[in-house]
Amino acid sequence: MERTIKPDALQTLMQARQDVVVFDVRRKADYDADNQKISGAMWLDPEKVGQWCTALPHDKQIVVYCVRGGSVSNLVLDTLLGKGFKARFIECGIEAWKYNGGQTVAK
């Protein structure tokens, strides 16, 4: 499985109701500074990934995103992959999602 997923490919998966869950892993300050999130995504503190990852489903694809798909997403992804999850992050983060017309909702 690739480490990343393009925004349009994720939109296709979500529209097809595939077994995919999306998590917002932006740093708390970045999350608080933006009043939008991807529809259906739940925010999880990236600094506590070791704690919350134990409750994630192993039978679903996991997609995480941060602001621009950089160090935060990679750090979380490395942890998830190391625990055996089928996980990826959105290329260029929520900014690319928005740019490509992905649906967001107010938090």
Side-chain angles (χ1 to χ4, degrees), residues 6-8 10-11 14 37-39 90-104:
K6 293 183 183 302
D8 58 337
L10 178 57
Q11 288 178 36
M14 291 171 75
K37 67 175 190 157
I38 292 176
S39 181
I90 300 174
E91 284 184 20
C92 302
I94 193 170
E95 294 303 318
W97 178 265
K98 291 175 186 177
Y99 181 80
N100 285 287
Q103 183 179 7
T104 60

Side-chain angles (χ1 to χ4, degrees), residues 16-83:
R17 306 243 189 256
Q18 294 294 314
D19 284 337
V20 61
V21 290
V22 180
F23 296 105
D24 184 327
V25 295
R26 292 178 282 181
R27 288 186 179 101
K28 179 81 168 122
D30 292 328
Y31 179 77
D32 290 344
D34 186 355
N35 67 349
Q36 299 290 306
K37 67 175 190 157
I38 292 176
S39 181
M42 181 173 75
W43 181 77
L44 295 171
D45 187 341
E47 298 191 19
K48 296 180 181 177
V49 63
Q51 295 169 6
W52 52 254
C53 74
T54 59
L56 298 180
H58 274 87
D59 62 336
K60 295 183 185 261
Q61 296 180 61
I62 296 171
V63 176
V64 298
Y65 68 90
C66 62
V67 178
R68 289 175 294 283
S71 61
V72 177
S73 288
N74 272 291
L75 176 68
V76 170
L77 183 69
D78 288 343
T79 300
L80 295 178
L81 292 174
K83 303 275 186 190

Side-chain angles (χ1 to χ4, degrees), residues 1-5 13 60-63 77 81 85-89:
M1 178 179 276
E2 298 281 330
R3 285 182 65 85
T4 63
I5 185 168
L13 283 177
K60 295 183 185 261
Q61 296 180 61
I62 296 171
V63 176
L77 183 69
L81 292 174
F85 291 98
K86 298 178 283 189
R88 297 184 272 183
F89 70 89

